[in-house]
Amino acid sequence: MNGSPTKPDVSLRLLEIFDAIMRCGTTVEAAEQLGISQPAVSNGIRQLEAQTGVTLFERLHRRLQPTEEAVALHDDIKPVFGLLRGFASRAQDMRQGVSGRLRVISTPPLGHTVAPLAMRRFLKERKDVSVAYDVRRLEHVVVAVQSGHADLGLALALERHPAVNVEILARTHMVAVLPKAEKVSASTVSAETLAKGDFVGLEIESNLGQKVRAAFERDGVPYKPRVEVRYCATAAVLASAGIGSAVIDPYTAAFNAGLGVIERGFLPPIEVAAVLITRKGVPRSRLQHAFISEMRKALTDFAAGGMQTIFGTR
């Protein structure tokens, strides 16, 4: 029956043996490079010659001399093995956490303060790593991690969530920021003191806003903001403009110290946790572990010396 000739069934392993001999010149060296026995190399070449019907080598002075056909065929497969070696090297870099892409999303308090420091340190020794970085509201952070659009999420004041894993990285306390014109000699101010003047509150729908309101109520003080804002950074800006005092997270307060606000401890204390958000059921890569480690270090450095100290660290 007439038909097209049967194509030789050549395996990638036989081509790998052929490539090794072309580069090494002897079956012994090829075997050492491939991690197999010398007879296995010789058998592989005989099998390849039988399958292709082409004589590939002649033995001269205990070395294998490639035929013209072998040289031509090797030129054809060189790009394949170049790609394979590049693939193996790339995979090794990924295993070691020095190559790849990391997707991080954060809420503003950490995303505009401590997280950039962690990222700078993370990227410094990883020239082949890129990062997709976004700063959004908490609900967007949770959805991005849950859906797999982000590898890691960072936030404040979220200690548990049914849809994602939440891990506490550090605990700290909210602080009061007051217009520079205020005369405050004490190291702390109370909710009662702040309620006597104009107050800039955080929207009550947010976790931080709820914590601030609860603190006022715990102190028996009415919570009546003159202005209500979404972000702590906005509250700091308004305080610097003399509009009123505010209670915000310490990362934002320290980062915006140059605005000219007065920072004081706040009573009653409002504990706030910096947390890591990850997707359920998904193991962490080396890149993720490395970034998390840098984030922990940055938070520790902040606790020890504030934003000026850690951003001055090289």
Side-chain angles (χ1 to χ4, degrees), residues 206-227:
S206 69
N207 285 359
L208 293 180
Q210 291 173 12
K211 284 180 173 289
V212 173
R213 179 173 183 170
F216 271 67
E217 292 175 349
R218 198 160 66 241
D219 230 22
V221 179
Y223 182 73
K224 295 180 179 180
R226 182 79 181 275
V227 180

Side-chain angles (χ1 to χ4, degrees), residues 233-247:
T234 308
V237 170
L238 297 186
S240 72
I243 292 174
S245 303
V247 178

